[in-house]
Amino acid sequence: MDLTATTSALAAAAAEVARLLPTRVLDPVLAGLRLRAGTDVEVAGSDQEHGVRLTINATVHTEGEVLVPAKPLAATLQALDDPQVRLKVEGQRLAVRTPTSRFAIPLLDLDHHPGVPQLPVLRGHVEADKLKIIAAVAGAASRDDALPIFTGIRVWSDAGRLHFLATDRYRMAHGTVPWEQEGQLDLLVPAKAIVEAARQAQGRVALHANEDRLGLAWGNNSISTALLAAPFPDDRARRLLEAVIDSTVLVDADALARAVRRATPYGGPHQAVTIQVEDSEVRVKGNDPQQGESEEFVKATVEGDHLTKTFQARYLADALKAFAGRRIELKIQDGLRSTVLTSEPGEDGVELTYLVVPMRSVA
């Protein structure tokens, strides 16, 4: 194999494959990156759980296929300053060449690689820019691998809409986007994997799925992942979206987020921030006997009761970040019931709802 390619494009593809592959495996072949040079060059990898295929434009001097350790190749390419790079097999090594440098990476046994899983059946199409909602929803997924079922995003479909829902039991996010449906969906996908896939996707994206895998494909590129257990959360979680509202606050998400950020250092050991609803504003407070106290007013349009809620600052900040640049409604319920954050759907038909569970008083 012998090819020349744009360094930045090849480095980005190698980094993406390396990011989705494990760093610690008993068999180093599973951490390998497969390069296949034909008309262009395909950069691929699979640890049997994830599968990645990315195609990069290249000038192919000699066709061929090799397997190399993903991390060293990605790190080497990212460190290069030259606009073009040449990859050439030299004996049992892959040489990475520029006009002034040469690096050599040992080849892995391609015959022992399990191959990249084929995409399952096509379920529908969605525009890539709409899939940005997945990152916002993923903010509510758990990062605790001890409870893997909460580290996923539930994906399901109905007539013309694709739904995403995640929860870590203290907050929940639900987003929907329009799509062209060709089959029903209801499955639980690892949040990290689908966020990475959505971040890479471009243009019109095909969504493939069966009972074992979900994949996104665009052009000659695809990323797929094995599914988690049976779909969760169930209908009980979705019913939380049907809130009985006691107070509605219309406020700029960025202004409120800045106030929450400034109050956080005064949140004490629990990182607690209090939102107090008043006539035409909300008061954002932090109070800690050792660190001191803060108080800031943010203009708002208020309907309903004057309620006071205390939240863990990180959870509230994550929710507000998902609505950056927009005005939002805080639909506040009395007691310890969730506060619902929503905004008007955008022109692209994307909708997002975020629920945050308040804390008990820490005063």
Side-chain angles (χ1 to χ4, degrees):
M1 186 190 79
D2 185 2
L3 64 91
T4 301
T6 302
T7 304
S8 58
L10 193 58
E16 180 61 30
V17 174
R19 186 162 36 245
L20 289 171
L21 295 179
T23 55
R24 296 181 181 179
V25 290
L26 294 176
D27 186 354
V29 166
L30 294 178
L33 182 150
R34 190 187 74 189
L35 295 167
R36 177 182 291 169
T39 305
D40 291 305
V41 58
E42 181 185 83
V43 183
S46 175
D47 62 351
Q48 298 180 313
E49 181 178 349
H50 304 104
V52 191
R53 298 175 191 266
L54 302 176
T55 301
I56 305 300
N57 292 332
T59 300
V60 176
H61 312 295
T62 304
E63 295 184 359
E65 184 176 2
V66 296
L67 186 71
V68 296
K71 301 292 184 183
L73 178 60
T76 300
L77 291 171
Q78 287 181 317
L80 296 178
D81 296 324
D82 299 85
Q84 297 285 311
V85 64
R86 187 167 184 173
L87 304 184
K88 183 178 181 181
V89 173
E90 297 178 353
Q92 293 303 309
R93 295 177 182 274
L94 177 69
V96 181
R97 290 181 172 273
T98 71
T100 60
S101 62
R102 174 185 176 274
F103 308 87
I105 301 173
L107 301 179
L108 298 172
D109 189 346
L110 182 62
D111 292 336
H112 284 80
H113 192 265
V116 181
Q118 295 297 315
L119 291 173
V121 65
L122 177 65
R123 298 295 184 179
H125 292 87
V126 62
E127 294 300 320
D129 60 346
K130 295 179 173 58
L131 292 178
K132 295 176 182 177
I133 193 72
I134 294 176
V137 172
S142 175
R143 294 162 180 79
D144 183 2
D145 291 334
L147 296 170
I149 197 169
F150 292 106
T151 65
I153 294 179
R154 185 175 185 178
V155 182
W156 78 94
S157 63
D158 55 29
R161 304 290 295 183
L162 190 60
H163 297 255
F164 305 95
L165 189 147
T167 181
D168 62 0
R169 298 171 298 161
Y170 303 103
R171 51 192 169 164
M172 185 174 76
H174 173 234
T176 74
V177 301
W179 84 315
E180 302 169 21
Q181 180 170 305
E182 296 190 23
Q184 292 290 331
L185 285 177
D186 195 0
L187 39 87
L188 187 65
V189 188
K192 181 179 178 181
I194 193 173
V195 167
E196 286 288 346
R199 184 177 60 82
Q200 285 287 320
Q202 300 177 18
R204 190 167 184 259
V205 181
L207 194 152
H208 299 253
N210 59 17
E211 65 276 8
D212 299 316
R213 300 188 71 81
L214 175 138
L216 301 182
W218 62 101
N220 294 321
N221 308 293
S222 68
I223 298 178
S224 68
T225 181
L227 302 180
L228 294 172
F232 183 87
D234 60 16
D235 287 336
R236 290 173 295 176
R238 280 189 258 175
R239 282 199 293 271
L240 292 174
L241 298 169
E242 302 171 0
V244 178
I245 306 304
D246 297 294
S247 180
T248 300
V249 177
L250 183 64
V251 65
D252 181 80
D254 293 341
L256 184 57
R258 290 192 293 268
V260 169
R261 184 174 65 250
R262 288 188 282 264
T264 300
Y266 300 93
H270 300 287
Q271 292 288 283
V273 171
T274 298
I275 304 293
Q276 185 173 320
V277 180
E278 302 190 354
D279 286 331
S280 58
E281 59 194 8
V282 293
R283 186 186 309 210
V284 183
K285 300 191 297 182
N287 187 8
D288 177 60
Q290 294 185 344
Q291 299 296 327
E293 61 186 35
S294 73
E295 181 178 81
E296 184 171 346
F297 295 91
V298 180
K299 292 183 179 180
T301 301
V302 177
E303 293 183 7
D305 300 337
H306 291 185
L307 301 177
T308 299
K309 292 289 177 182
T310 299
F311 302 93
Q312 188 171 90
R314 178 169 63 90
Y315 291 163
L316 183 57
D318 285 349
L320 292 169
K321 181 180 179 181
F323 295 93
R326 304 166 75 173
R327 286 184 66 79
I328 60 168
E329 277 191 346
L330 273 67
K331 300 179 179 180
I332 305 174
Q333 306 180 83
D334 199 6
L336 291 175
R337 293 178 295 166
S338 300
T339 292
V340 182
L341 288 75
T342 63
S343 66
E344 291 293 326
E347 294 181 359
D348 56 3
V350 175
E351 300 178 18
L352 176 64
T353 302
Y354 215 112
L355 277 69
V356 182
V357 177
M359 301 172 61
R360 295 183 183 274
S361 175
V362 295

